[in-house]
Amino acid sequence: PTLLTGLAQCETCGGGMTIRTGKGGRYRYYTCNNRVNEGATSCKGRNIPMQLLDGLVIDNLEARILTPERLEPLLKTILDRARNRTTEDAAKAKELRKKLHGTEVKIERLYAALADGTVSDTTMFRRSMAQVEDERDETLRMIASLEKHRDVPRHLLTKRNIERFATTARAGLRNENARLRKGYMRQLVSRIEVGDRQIRVSGPESTLAEGVLDSGSDPAAGVPSFVQGWWAQQDSNLRPAD
């Protein structure tokens, strides 16, 4: 598989970059797919040798992201965001528990009125009870949803794990197995915008934290879990040998 197809996009028109060959297949280029299919009127397009673009992206990922010195401040930012989210969720859960208490009081009052014999319209009573119980159940669901969000396990974000993740990811991007190499690339990168003067690479920060946490496991276990989601979609005989 070609490393950057599905990720590389033309800066001019936003179309995907596809592979074209020259000199009887000796040379391979990324080129704008819209230009190929619709002609020069759709996009001025651009050609860039496949080896050159692949090398530029990998080299810059290694230099700008996949080093402990670069990863540590990035992970600190991710942790700060997670901490703020956890604080906000705790405040929301507290307000929801207050609301839940009020709803339970309403239910108790309705049952008390029924027990006292002061309920004259049983149909209205059932409607009111159903409404309040629905409100209670929805509040319980929202509280449970907030409590599922656990804080990031900071104790696993050690320098050793950061270094191990950087080493593993760098090796993965250089792996001889083309499909595995592409699996790493697709987990780390979501978009590559190719222009005449610059190439803009972007990807999900969450993968970095997930990869570092995953690096606390046995490095000999095979494909890291943060790549396994992609790898699981491939044919089983593509997996590296144990």
Side-chain angles (χ1 to χ4, degrees):
T2 307
L3 183 64
L4 303 181
T5 49
L7 298 174
Q9 299 179 0
C10 173
E11 180 186 65
T12 303
C13 68
M17 303 286 284
T18 190
I19 288 291
R20 297 194 75 181
T21 60
K23 300 285 186 180
R26 286 187 295 165
Y27 301 103
R28 305 186 77 195
Y29 299 86
Y30 288 103
T31 189
C32 174
N33 194 46
N34 287 337
R35 167 79 182 219
V36 172
N37 292 328
E38 301 175 22
T41 57
S42 64
C43 180
K44 67 177 185 179
R46 58 185 52 82
N47 293 322
I48 181 170
M50 182 185 75
Q51 188 174 2
L52 174 60
L53 183 59
D54 289 355
L56 284 171
V57 172
I58 292 175
D59 289 347
N60 279 275
L61 281 174
E62 290 180 338
R64 297 170 181 262
I65 302 294
L66 298 176
T67 68
E69 296 76 18
R70 294 287 187 172
L71 283 170
E72 284 192 40
L74 282 172
L75 290 169
K76 182 179 183 301
T77 300
I78 295 171
L79 287 175
D80 289 342
R81 291 177 184 170
R83 187 181 299 113
N84 292 335
R85 186 173 62 247
T86 300
T87 302
E88 293 172 1
D89 288 351
K92 290 178 182 178
K94 184 177 180 180
E95 290 300 316
L96 286 170
R97 289 190 182 94
K98 289 182 180 179
K99 180 179 179 181
L100 178 62
H101 176 71
T103 304
E104 289 173 342
V105 169
K106 291 179 182 178
I107 292 174
E108 290 176 1
R109 289 176 178 171
L110 284 171
Y111 277 122
L114 183 65
D116 293 341
T118 58
V119 174
S120 57
D121 190 336
T122 55
T123 300
M124 181 64 68
F125 170 83
R126 286 194 296 270
R127 289 178 181 173
S128 298
M129 181 62 72
Q131 181 178 353
V132 178
E133 287 180 339
D134 287 345
E135 181 181 335
R136 178 199 59 191
D137 293 344
E138 176 63 15
T139 304
L140 286 169
R141 185 194 64 78
M142 294 173 68
I143 292 173
S145 177
L146 288 173
E147 290 179 345
K148 283 182 180 179
H149 294 188
R150 296 180 178 178
D151 197 5
V152 177
R154 293 174 178 79
H155 65 283
L156 293 180
L157 295 176
T158 63
K159 287 188 176 182
R160 179 184 177 187
N161 288 347
I162 291 173
E163 291 173 358
R164 182 177 291 172
F165 167 69
T167 300
T168 301
R170 289 162 68 96
L173 291 173
R174 303 284 185 180
N175 195 285
E176 293 182 358
N177 186 307
R179 291 187 180 274
L180 182 60
R181 186 167 64 246
K182 187 166 185 174
Y184 273 91
M185 180 63 70
R186 292 184 72 88
Q187 290 300 314
L188 294 169
V189 174
S190 57
R191 176 185 173 92
I192 301 169
E193 191 176 273
V194 182
D196 293 328
R197 296 180 177 272
Q198 69 177 4
I199 298 167
R200 191 186 307 270
V201 181
S202 57
E205 291 179 341
S206 58
T207 298
L208 298 177
E210 182 182 350
V212 172
L213 294 176
D214 183 48
S215 294
S217 61
D218 183 3
V223 181
S225 64
F226 82 105
V227 177
Q228 286 174 2
W230 176 87
W231 194 262
Q233 299 172 13
Q234 309 303 309
D235 188 83
S236 60
N237 63 6
L238 300 177
R239 292 178 177 271
D242 293 335

